[in-house]
Amino acid sequence: MGGAVSAGEDNDDLVDNLKEAQYIRTEKVEQAFRAIDRGDYYLDGYRDSAYKDLAWKHGNIHLSAPCIYSEVMEALKLQPGLSFLNLGSGTGYLSTMVGLIVGPFGVNHGVELHKDVVEYARDKLDDFIKNSDSFDKFEFCEPVFQVGNCLEISTDSHQYDRIYCGAGVQKDHENYMKVLLKIGGILVMPIEHQLTQITRTGQCTWESKNILAVSFAPLVQQSGAEGDKPDTVQLPPVTVRSLQDLSRIYIRRTLRNLANEDTPGKGMVQRVQQKHKHRRCRRQRSDTYVFVGNHLIPQMVESEEEEHPEEEQKEVEEEEERDIGDVEILKQVNVLREQIMALPLPESLKAYLLYYREK
């Protein structure tokens, strides 16, 4: 499934194409897509195909097409503080984007059948927290991933404001999914080859809306050996943050807000503008002749020609290298980090405020 938009050279190109095709329609979804580089969730050697609007699978690792994820993010109508459950959470790519929107007072849980994929998702999450500059530009709700079959979730599990299922749901399991949803909540899942948005309007009432024709592999129905009942999945608990953690959140929020007041928009993830080559021309004089009566008279005429002498071409390339260097320097400036490092605090406390990030 995919191929609805043109391929991009990088993550920003991909987001631009999704916006142009109206798959991304809101600023908060755009910001989340720009902050999380899809290529970071590919295995080494496969990144070249990361920015095509195509699904990708290698062993148990799977990513849906970007157009699917963007429609899902828009259909979920995410807000800060909401609880989110990702059934078939895979690489954690979608869950990480959701975490940027629901923020530190939300809930972000994922259930994934394959243990090796959960380990892969945890590694990618750890890499994002430690190495991505985007982490310091958002308040983040860290996903918690659980190994298990999402069709075996405990019946006494808590309910969620938003749910996404990343595998085809049979009609027999539709009500099972709906029970996990709070009243007023939204469930997005593929049913009968349609990506469907379901809103729970009451205790026993729902409204459904088809979003997009899709093709998903069906949910795996796990059967126990020799009639044994499959293991029940206990969802992660909803925990209250410690006072220490709350202090870190509010200190970082205050510093970030102060930085944004000084330089509005600097804390947002923005499209890096590409530098364009300048066309260089030279004026050329040439002799031409015109008839005046019976006489042929020479006349000088000036014309413009595009020129590409080697020395000027070299100058253009050097200018572009300087431009690229300037862009890289701007991208590397982390205002929040600089403010924390300037605080008159012990180094150990600064490290805690930085989530022990090294850069």
Side-chain angles (χ1 to χ4, degrees), residues 223-239:
S223 58
E226 299 180 358
D228 293 339
K229 186 177 179 181
D231 294 334
T232 300
V233 177
Q234 298 292 336
L235 292 173
V238 177
T239 57

Side-chain angles (χ1 to χ4, degrees), residues 133 137 266 328-336 338:
D133 280 343
K137 296 176 181 177
K266 192 170 183 179
E328 289 176 349
I329 291 170
L330 287 172
K331 289 175 69 178
Q332 290 172 3
V333 172
N334 188 323
V335 178
L336 178 60
E338 289 182 348

Side-chain angles (χ1 to χ4, degrees), residues 13-26:
D13 274 351
L14 174 62
V15 177
D16 289 343
N17 293 337
L18 291 169
K19 281 186 64 180
E20 185 178 355
Q22 289 295 301
Y23 285 105
I24 292 178
R25 298 178 290 276
T26 58

Side-chain angles (χ1 to χ4, degrees), residues 13 40 62 130 144 205 211 248 269 288 290-291 293 336 348:
D13 274 351
D40 292 341
H62 174 263
K130 288 183 177 179
V144 179
T205 55
I211 302 171
R248 175 167 61 178
V269 179
T288 188
V290 296
F291 280 99
L336 178 60
S348 59

Side-chain angles (χ1 to χ4, degrees), residues 180-193:
L180 295 169
L181 193 63
K182 290 181 181 179
I183 294 175
I186 295 174
L187 164 65
V188 178
M189 61 182 178
I191 306 176
E192 296 182 336
H193 305 293

Side-chain angles (χ1 to χ4, degrees), residues 84-90 94-95 109-112 162-166:
F84 172 69
L85 176 62
N86 191 350
L87 299 173
S89 50
L94 179 71
S95 293
H109 293 164
V111 178
E112 169 57 43
R162 300 291 187 268
I163 300 174
Y164 170 63
C165 181

Side-chain angles (χ1 to χ4, degrees), residues 8-74:
E9 294 183 0
D10 57 24
N11 195 67
D12 277 326
D13 274 351
L14 174 62
V15 177
D16 289 343
N17 293 337
L18 291 169
K19 281 186 64 180
E20 185 178 355
Q22 289 295 301
Y23 285 105
I24 292 178
R25 298 178 290 276
T26 58
E27 183 179 356
K28 62 186 174 184
V29 171
E30 177 189 350
Q31 289 290 316
F33 268 83
R34 292 202 189 279
I36 309 297
D37 194 319
R38 180 178 169 90
D40 292 341
Y41 289 79
Y42 277 62
L43 291 168
D44 293 340
Y46 295 89
R47 193 182 179 106
D48 288 347
S49 60
Y51 309 114
K52 299 176 182 177
D53 188 34
L54 297 172
W56 175 73
K57 182 174 175 61
H58 187 279
N60 292 326
I61 300 171
H62 174 263
L63 281 163
S64 294
C67 68
I68 300 295
Y69 283 135
S70 52
E71 284 287 6
V72 169
M73 289 284 286
E74 293 287 359

Side-chain angles (χ1 to χ4, degrees), residues 59 66-67 124 141-142 187 192 201 204 217 227 231 238 272 283 354:
C67 68
K124 293 300 180 183
C141 182
E142 185 174 332
L187 164 65
E192 296 182 336
T201 56
C204 301
D231 294 334
V238 177
V272 177
R283 302 185 71 83
L354 291 169

